[in-house]
Amino acid sequence: MQGLSGLCQTSNVRVHHPACAAHLRSIRSSVGTPASHASRLLRDAAVQSRPFSSCRSRPTLSKLRPVQATASAPPKDLPKEEKIKVDEVQVTPVTKHVTAFRSICTQRLKFEIEYGLKRGTTDNCYVIQENNTVVLVDVPDQAFTDDFVSALERFISLKDIQHLVVTQLTPKHVPSIKAFLQRRNTSDKVSQLQITLSNPAKQVLKSTMEKDEEGSKLLEAVNVVTAKTGTTVALSEDSKLQLIPVPTPRWPDLLCVYHRTDRLLFTSNIFSAHVAPSVVNTSGESAKDVGGWDMYGQDWRHYFDCMLAPVAKQAAGGLDKLADIISPSAETLSTQEAAVGALQKTLKSAQAALEGRQAAVFGEQAMSSGGRMTAIPLTVNALCPSHGPVVQSSLTELLRSYQKWTTDQIENAKKGKIAVLYASAYGNTAGMAQAISRGITKAGIGVETLNLEEDSVDDALAAVKEAKGFIIGSPTLGGHLPTQVQTALGAIVRESSVRELPCGVFGSFGWSGEAVDELENRLKDAGFSMAFKPIRVKFKPSAKDVQVCEESGVDLAQAVHKAMKVQERQAGSSQVKTGGASGVEQAVGRLVGSLCVVTGRDEDAESAMLASWVSQASFDPPGLSIAVKKDRAVETLLVMGNKFNVNVLAQGNEKAAVKQMLKPFKPAEDRFQGLDTDRSEENDCVFLKEAAAYVGCTIKDRLEAGDHWIIYATVDTGKVLTESAPSAVHHRKIGTSY
């Protein structure tokens, strides 16, 4: 157990965290719980701690307060913490003065949506050596602590490192800072280290380090500097690092760092991607984006969709800062110089409403005649993120794409959005909120995701009043809702104007899960209608749990979209044509394809869909293409590297399968009930015994095509099941529907 490890013992309960101490005192005083049982209550909560989360700012536990505490029987079986396998720490030069330390893991990291591509990750840190100054930028997650510190010691004497700059911090990074300080202090004649970080990160560092005497002493021996706009770290008389606060709702403590000499911008989690070098077949000799957009484009897009799309409106302010000051160098522009101007122009337009709040800019500044601060652009050769490759060859395209993705989300939200509100003690409920938000954005509806520990009740209520629906999630603390969720819920149920909105509830818990029941009951009692069945997850979400969350988000978004269409028709503003289909639409409808059922699987998550847009795409190797609508449940399972089956239905024997696949399904419901099925030995995916044939495939590429993804896959295996049966063919009359 890592989240609260060492905080309690069976015979002698020691609670260092003030929130947990108060919780324990409440339990003892209210129900007379013995110390041994109270300690078990804390240990049961502790197992919810996530094994790896270096890419999201984890909510501070002290901010969550249970309304009251009651005792109940502890769970019989507690899940074991999963050991993260560290492949290696690669030490790779980036420029003359900068070296990257990439802690690499190729295994799947949790069943959270951000790791859905299953391509591993790198946790990046950087060492800057210029003149006689050495700066370490960031430390990795605690899963990589020992390997990282050992690799750092082999590269340079730790006493020579004078500065540590932290661009974003969670409690799971602090063990790496502690280990670094411990090893550094074993050297002779150690000078004082300066740690520079934002104020929110400083609070995390102090609250975590000061839990024990050793940590307090280590922290007292260093000089902690709070970074603000204009803060610099001197490398020499003529050279310095510029520190740029770029807070976002996901990472309120985030800093970017500009190294003028080598023209590098260290962007922390922004512009990151979860992908290990070996997964993309790079030798590891370069830390940069060798292969460019074709190699990493989908990884950057997936990371954005999971981490920033749900908070696009708020995050756009920080991205606006970056657009203002990043000026790609000539060597990175290629033929895309015009993209930079377009990026800055459209991003400023999209964020006009946030200009006042985002007035403080970083870098060198000059006052305009209107009194606003105008940033002088910084020439950038490459972006150095916390995860994934250093972005150089794809720099301009990635900037342009971030702008498009952000603008698309903001525009979707203007048409209609769903509010997702949550609090999360150990990150599990946050992971569920992330998956639900991802499902909403897949369906083309805007989403505003608010962390109730960071956002005010007024902000939460305003988001719900502006939304077409809402979802609220909570952990269970002491058998009840945390105060923040209780307060927000009270404001919502008292607001009569939102009672017609569809809503849903979710949450993770240690053993009882009363919070989800309380959310549901209070909303129902107030007259709200549930859009989907409450989602309860014990401890950490599994692959199927994530599937349920994402599909629930899709279902609610589709219901909202349908309601919006009805409102448009009632208002007389529908754009539906009354004079029949156009000639183009009729002509496109004459394109035909085999009627198929696509089946996919990922751990305990499984899904299927009816497909007719299937075509052979290559002879050598044998390959096919499938068009998959973005809001399809199975789309999540059809990512690069995954395997699936295409079942070609038999003419005259296709009705049962078609009828089953066209049914409305609940999230994660069995798609194959009533069908005669088996599993392929090669990929463990379902095939239909009454199909004409099936082929087993591996996904090699995905292409975004409007409201669909085009999947290209190579064929690994295949079998004809009914020799005499021709393939069922789907004929259409119009090209605007299936």
Side-chain angles (χ1 to χ4, degrees):
M1 295 181 236
Q2 298 294 335
L4 297 173
S5 61
L7 300 189
C8 52
Q9 300 172 353
T10 303
S11 59
N12 181 25
V13 179
R14 297 185 295 110
V15 181
H16 299 300
H17 201 289
C20 295
H23 184 183
L24 181 55
R25 286 194 298 271
S26 174
I27 294 173
R28 286 174 171 167
S29 62
S30 60
V31 298
T33 307
S36 60
H37 183 62
S39 67
R40 285 198 299 272
L41 296 179
L42 287 177
R43 289 203 306 274
D44 295 340
V47 297
Q48 293 194 60
S49 177
R50 297 177 294 170
F52 183 90
S53 183
S54 61
C55 55
R56 183 194 296 114
S57 176
R58 201 180 89 179
T60 305
L61 181 60
S62 61
K63 294 182 181 179
L64 284 181
R65 301 183 300 278
V67 176
Q68 59 180 343
T70 57
S72 59
K76 296 180 180 180
D77 300 316
L78 300 179
K80 296 181 180 179
E81 284 293 326
E82 183 181 356
K83 177 71 174 177
I84 300 298
K85 180 184 176 183
V86 179
D87 293 12
E88 62 176 319
V89 177
Q90 287 186 352
V91 182
T92 312
V94 178
T95 60
K96 177 182 178 181
H97 300 102
V98 178
T99 302
F101 286 71
R102 301 194 294 171
S103 301
I104 298 171
C105 178
T106 53
Q107 76 176 70
R108 178 160 186 174
L109 305 173
K110 303 179 301 177
F111 295 109
E112 290 193 10
I113 200 73
E114 70 196 72
Y115 300 110
L117 298 185
K118 299 185 296 183
R119 287 158 68 83
T121 194
T122 67
D123 203 334
N124 303 333
C125 308
Y126 303 89
V127 171
I128 302 171
Q129 297 171 284
E130 187 172 346
N131 298 314
N132 295 318
T133 304
V134 182
V135 180
L136 173 62
V137 179
D138 285 327
V139 294
D141 178 271
Q142 63 184 10
F144 304 114
T145 294
D146 294 338
D147 297 88
F148 167 74
V149 176
S150 296
L152 191 62
E153 278 187 309
R154 290 192 296 270
F155 179 78
I156 192 173
S157 174
L158 299 187
K159 69 178 182 180
D160 293 336
I161 300 176
Q162 298 106 314
H163 297 271
L164 168 60
V165 177
V166 180
T167 66
Q168 195 269 321
L169 188 67
T170 74
K172 291 205 167 188
H173 290 97
V174 176
S176 292
I177 293 179
K178 189 174 182 179
F180 165 66
L181 295 178
Q182 289 171 332
R183 301 271 272 272
R184 186 176 184 272
N185 287 349
T186 61
S187 305
D188 295 330
K189 299 180 180 179
V190 178
S191 61
Q192 187 181 43
L193 178 77
Q194 176 175 305
I195 300 180
T196 308
L197 69 178
S198 67
N199 189 57
K202 179 181 177 180
Q203 302 311 312
V204 172
L205 179 65
K206 290 185 65 177
S207 64
T208 309
M209 290 286 284
E210 292 176 353
K211 287 180 179 179
D212 58 70
E213 185 177 351
E214 182 184 17
S216 296
K217 289 182 177 180
L218 288 170
L219 197 58
E220 289 173 0
V222 302
N223 178 29
V224 180
V225 175
T226 303
K228 302 177 181 178
T229 299
T231 298
T232 62
V233 174
L235 301 175
S236 68
E237 292 184 1
D238 303 321
S239 180
K240 60 186 177 182
L241 298 177
Q242 292 179 246
L243 274 58
I244 308 123
V246 189
T248 71
R250 181 72 69 182
W251 308 295
D253 59 338
L254 193 141
L255 292 175
C256 288
V257 180
Y258 180 63
H259 183 222
R260 182 177 299 278
T261 304
D262 290 351
R263 297 179 176 179
L264 299 179
L265 185 66
F266 301 88
T267 59
S268 191
N269 291 328
I270 300 176
F271 305 121
S272 284
H274 285 307
V275 56
S278 60
V279 174
V280 291
N281 298 317
T282 61
S283 63
E285 295 177 358
S286 174
K288 298 175 183 177
D289 54 341
V290 178
W293 193 263
D294 290 341
M295 189 71 74
Y296 295 102
Q298 289 191 42
D299 301 292
W300 287 317
R301 172 63 185 271
H302 186 79
Y303 189 90
F304 176 91
D305 284 347
C306 295
M307 308 304 290
L308 288 169
V311 291
K313 179 180 177 181
Q314 304 96 317
L319 297 178
D320 193 17
K321 280 188 176 183
L322 296 181
D324 278 339
I325 57 93
I326 295 177
S327 177
S329 62
E331 61 191 83
T332 64
L333 281 174
S334 177
T335 59
Q336 300 176 346
E337 288 121 334
V340 179
L343 167 69
Q344 295 177 348
K345 180 179 178 181
T346 52
L347 227 157
K348 286 179 181 178
S349 174
Q351 279 310 109
L354 296 176
E355 282 184 352
R357 184 174 141 198
Q358 299 295 335
V361 296
F362 58 85
E364 300 175 20
Q365 299 172 330
M367 293 295 293
S368 69
S369 58
R372 292 180 54 199
M373 302 294 283
T374 304
I376 297 177
L378 306 175
T379 302
V380 175
N381 286 345
L383 308 174
C384 300
S386 293
H387 308 284
V390 171
V391 183
Q392 185 174 54
S393 66
S394 305
L395 190 155
T396 305
E397 189 166 6
L398 185 57
L399 290 176
R400 182 180 56 190
S401 297
Y402 254 65
Q403 159 52 24
K404 182 182 183 302
W405 301 334
T406 303
T407 302
D408 287 347
Q409 292 301 323
I410 292 173
E411 290 302 316
N412 285 340
K414 288 179 180 178
K415 300 173 186 175
K417 69 179 180 181
I418 295 171
V420 178
L421 317 176
Y422 74 95
S424 185
Y426 302 98
N428 299 317
T429 306
M432 298 172 69
Q434 189 181 37
I436 291 169
S437 299
R438 168 71 168 139
I440 294 169
T441 58
K442 278 178 57 177
I445 296 293
V447 61
E448 185 169 0
T449 304
L450 298 179
N451 183 341
L452 295 175
E453 301 151 74
E454 304 289 346
D455 297 288
S456 69
V457 173
D458 290 341
D459 289 340
L461 184 58
V464 172
K465 290 171 71 173
E466 293 173 0
K468 302 292 186 181
F470 70 93
I471 306 172
I472 185 167
S474 174
T476 298
L477 295 182
H480 291 273
L481 295 169
T483 301
Q484 293 88 334
V485 180
Q486 185 82 279
T487 305
L489 180 63
I492 292 170
V493 298
R494 288 192 298 270
E495 180 57 52
S496 59
S497 65
V498 301
R499 288 180 185 165
E500 298 300 318
L501 298 179
C503 62
V505 299
F506 66 97
S508 174
F509 58 93
W511 72 90
S512 51
E514 293 92 344
V516 178
D517 295 331
E518 189 171 350
L519 286 171
E520 180 187 19
N521 292 336
R522 288 196 59 186
L523 287 170
K524 283 185 174 180
D525 290 345
F528 290 86
S529 59
M530 296 290 110
F532 53 81
K533 184 178 178 182
I535 308 172
R536 297 176 176 84
V537 171
K538 192 170 184 178
F539 306 116
K540 294 185 290 290
S542 68
K544 189 167 185 177
D545 293 329
V546 171
Q547 180 187 18
V548 170
C549 290
E550 185 172 326
E551 291 184 17
S552 297
V554 170
D555 287 352
L556 179 55
Q558 289 176 337
V560 166
H561 187 74
K562 185 180 294 184
M564 290 166 57
K565 289 292 186 183
V566 171
Q567 291 176 353
E568 288 178 1
R569 286 196 293 269
Q570 291 175 344
S573 60
S574 175
Q575 300 300 312
V576 177
K577 297 178 181 179
T578 57
S582 69
V584 172
E585 292 166 348
Q586 293 181 43
V588 173
R590 295 302 179 98
L591 298 174
V592 298
S594 298
L595 202 56
C596 304
V597 172
V598 177
T599 61
R601 180 181 178 85
D602 180 16
E603 300 290 340
D604 60 346
E606 194 164 49
S607 192
M609 75 167 192
L610 191 66
S612 59
W613 295 1
V614 182
S615 177
Q616 185 168 346
S618 62
F619 286 130
D620 186 15
L624 53 82
S625 65
I626 305 174
V628 181
K629 201 167 189 292
K630 289 179 178 177
D631 62 0
R632 295 296 187 210
V634 76
E635 183 272 334
T636 303
L637 308 180
L638 300 179
V639 297
M640 296 271 286
N642 270 17
K643 297 181 181 297
F644 66 95
N645 285 341
V646 175
N647 299 268
V648 184
L649 300 183
Q651 183 176 317
N653 198 26
E654 74 274 22
K655 291 184 178 180
V658 171
K659 182 179 179 180
Q660 175 66 13
M661 290 297 128
L662 291 179
K663 285 173 51 180
F665 291 101
K666 296 178 181 178
E669 184 180 351
D670 181 12
R671 263 66 171 172
F672 308 109
Q673 187 175 8
L675 298 179
D676 192 6
T677 64
D678 202 345
R679 292 193 180 276
S680 169
E681 294 182 1
E682 292 80 8
N683 59 22
D684 202 33
C685 293
V686 165
F687 69 85
L688 308 183
K689 290 184 177 181
E690 295 185 357
Y694 80 90
V695 291
C697 309
T698 300
I699 298 173
K700 297 299 183 181
D701 204 356
R702 285 166 50 115
L703 171 67
E704 188 172 14
D707 55 0
H708 283 68
W709 286 103
I710 305 299
I711 309 294
Y712 170 71
T714 55
V715 177
D716 305 319
T717 185
K719 186 176 182 180
V720 175
L721 301 175
T722 308
E723 291 282 354
S724 59
S727 301
V729 177
H730 180 51
H731 294 276
R732 300 180 299 160
K733 293 183 178 180
I734 186 172
T736 55
S737 67
Y738 295 115

